[in-house]
C-alpha cells in the first residue's frame, strides 16, 4: 500500500496532464463536465461537483472548481517531500548530537542532555506552531540561503528542528546501554580510540533502532505538517498539501463533505501504513527494543 501511495505521488504530473487535463491551480468555475453523458457545471451556486468517477473530476472539485483528485496527488507529493526532508534534517542534527554526547561524556553529555530535555518538554506541535508563525512573518536567512515566507522549505525546517530530540534522546540512551556491553569493554582494553569505537563498534548496532525510529518519524512528520497547515503555520493557499486540503475541507464540509473526507482518508491511510511498517521492522530488526509508539512525539 505504501509503495502504491508513493507511486501515485510521483505520478501526479502524469495524471494531471494525461488523464485529468488540468493542473492543481486551474479554476473551472464556469466550466461544465460530462457526468453519465450529461453536462453538469463544475461549480453551481457556489457548490462544487462531487465525485464523477471519470477521468475529469474523479473525486469532485473544490469551491474554486479545481480538480480534487489532481490536488490530492500534488498535495500528497508535497506532504511526503516535506516529511522526508524534515526527517533527514532531524537525523542529520540529532544523530551527531547523540554520538557526540556518548563520545565526550561529562559536561558535554550533560549540556546536550539538558538542551534536548528543554526541547522535549514542549510538544512538537507547539514548537512547530511557534517556529512556523515566527518564520512566516519574514522567512528565514540561513547563511547564504534565503527562504521566503510560504516556501515549502519552512515547514520542512520547522518539523526537522522539532524532531531533533526524538532522534537524539533515544539514540543517546541506546548508546548508553551499549557502553556496558562486553564488546565495548574489549575495544577499550585494546586501546581503540573513542571515535573509531563509535564508528566501527557502536554505530552498526544503532541501525536497527534507527530504521524503526525513522519510519515512525516519517509518519509523525506527515501528521505534523497537516496540523501546521491546518493552523496556518505552514504552506499558504492555494499550494496543495494534505493539511491545506483538510483545512479547506473543514471550511466547506457542510456543503461538500467530500472535500474533507478525501484528504482525511488519504492521511489516515498513509499514517496507518507507515505505523504498520514501523512495527513490522521493529519485530524483524530490533525485537528487544521499545515498541515504536513509545518513541512517538
Amino acid at each position: 500500500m505504501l509503495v502504491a501511495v508513493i507511486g501515485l505521488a510521483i505520478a501526479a504530473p502524469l495524471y494531471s496532464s494525461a488523464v485529468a487535463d488540468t493542473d492543481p491551480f486551474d479554476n473551472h468555475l464556469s466550466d461544465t463536465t460530462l457526468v453519465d453523458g450529461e453536462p453538469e457545471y463544475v461549480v453551481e451556486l457556489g457548490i462544487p461537483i462531487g465525485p464523477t468517477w471519470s477521468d475529469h473530476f474523479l473525486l469532485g472539485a473544490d469551491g474554486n472548481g479545481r480538480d480534487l483528485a489532481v490536488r490530492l496527488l500534488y498535495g500528497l507529493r508535497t506532504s511526503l517531500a516535506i516529511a522526508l526532508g524534515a526527517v533527514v534534517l532531524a537525523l542529520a542534527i540529532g544523530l551527531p548530537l547523540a554520538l557526540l554526547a556518548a563520545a565526550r561524556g561529562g559536561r558535554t553529555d550533560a549540556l546536550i542532555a539538558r538542551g534536548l530535555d528543554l526541547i522535549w518538554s514542549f510538544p512538537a506541535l507547539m514548537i512547530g506552531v511557534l517556529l512556523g508563525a515566527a518564520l512566516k512573518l519574514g522567512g528565514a536567512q540561513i547563511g547564504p540561503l534565503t527562504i521566503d515566507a510560504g516556501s515549502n522549505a519552512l515547514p520542512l525546517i520547522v518539523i526537522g528542528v522539532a524532531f531533533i530530540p526524538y532522534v537524539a534522546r533515544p539514540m543517546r540512551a541506546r548508546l548508553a546501554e551499549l557502553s556496558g556491553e562486553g564488546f565495548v569493554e574489549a575495544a577499550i582494553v585494546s586501546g581503540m580510540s573513542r571515535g573509531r569505537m563509535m564508528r566501527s563498534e557502536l554505530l552498526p548496532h544503532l541501525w536497527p533502532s534507527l530504521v524503526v525510529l525513522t519510519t515512525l518519524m516519517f509518519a509523525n512528520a506527515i501528521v505534523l505538517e497537516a496540523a501546521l497547515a491546518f493552523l496556518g503555520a505552514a504552506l499558504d493557499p492555494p499550494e496543495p498539501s494534505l493539511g491545506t486540503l483538510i483545512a479547506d475541507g473543514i471550511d466547506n464540509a457542510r456543503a461538500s463533505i467530500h472535500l474533507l473526507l478525501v484528504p482525511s482518508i488519504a492521511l489516515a491511510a498513509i499514517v496507518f501504513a507507515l505505523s504498520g511498517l514501523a512495527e513490522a521492522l521493529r519485530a524483524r530488526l530490533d525485537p528487544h527494543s521499545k515498541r515504536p509508539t513509545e518513541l512517538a512525539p
Side-chain angles (χ1 to χ4, degrees):
M1 178 181 176
L2 185 60
V3 174
V5 169
I6 294 174
L8 287 172
I10 294 174
L14 180 62
Y15 175 83
S16 173
S17 60
V19 179
D21 194 27
T22 185
D23 70 34
F25 305 106
D26 280 345
N27 295 336
H28 302 276
L29 290 171
S30 59
D31 295 346
T32 60
T33 187
L34 292 178
V35 180
D36 296 329
E38 298 293 330
E40 289 191 17
Y41 282 103
V42 176
V43 179
E44 186 171 10
L45 300 177
I47 300 177
I49 193 172
T52 65
W53 309 117
S54 62
D55 292 348
H56 297 157
F57 302 99
L58 173 68
L59 299 176
D62 65 8
N64 291 305
R66 297 174 296 210
D67 191 309
L68 184 58
V70 174
R71 286 183 63 76
L72 177 67
L73 292 182
Y74 272 90
L76 183 61
R77 185 187 180 97
T78 300
S79 293
L80 289 176
I82 290 173
L84 178 61
V87 169
V88 170
L89 178 62
L91 289 171
I93 299 176
L95 185 56
L97 281 177
L99 292 172
L100 178 62
R104 293 292 183 87
R107 291 185 178 181
T108 301
D109 181 33
L111 181 62
I112 292 175
R114 298 294 79 78
L116 294 174
D117 288 342
L118 179 62
I119 302 176
W120 183 273
S121 64
F122 295 94
L125 180 58
M126 180 184 296
I127 296 174
V129 170
L130 293 175
L131 285 175
L135 292 176
K136 284 194 70 172
L137 292 176
Q141 182 76 37
I142 305 176
L145 180 63
T146 300
I147 301 174
D148 296 328
S151 167
N152 289 5
L154 283 183
L156 186 157
I157 293 171
V158 168
I159 297 170
V161 170
F163 276 11
I164 289 173
Y166 296 95
V167 175
R169 279 175 57 103
M171 292 301 101
R172 176 177 170 271
R174 181 63 176 148
L175 287 168
E177 292 176 5
L178 291 171
S179 63
E181 297 290 336
F183 68 89
V184 174
E185 294 177 357
I188 294 174
V189 170
S190 68
M192 187 180 295
S193 66
R194 284 192 174 187
R196 183 182 173 190
M197 184 175 64
M198 284 288 173
R199 293 191 302 271
S200 62
E201 302 293 333
L202 293 179
L203 193 56
H205 287 81
L206 293 182
W207 292 122
S209 298
L210 198 59
V211 169
V212 175
L213 181 62
T214 298
T215 306
L216 187 62
M217 281 177 53
F218 192 45
N220 289 332
I222 293 173
V223 174
L224 184 54
E225 184 280 324
L228 292 175
F230 175 73
L231 295 172
L235 300 178
D236 291 327
E239 186 70 31
S241 75
L242 291 178
T244 56
L245 291 176
I246 290 173
D248 184 56
I250 290 176
D251 292 339
N252 298 279
R254 288 190 176 183
S256 307
I257 190 64
H258 68 282
L259 295 179
L260 176 59
L261 288 178
V262 168
S264 298
I265 291 172
L267 176 62
I270 296 169
V271 172
F272 280 128
L274 285 168
S275 298
L277 177 61
E279 177 62 23
L281 289 171
R282 184 201 66 82
R284 185 175 183 85
L285 300 176
D286 202 15
H288 302 297
S289 70
K290 292 182 178 181
R291 295 173 62 86
T293 50
E294 296 178 33
L295 300 175

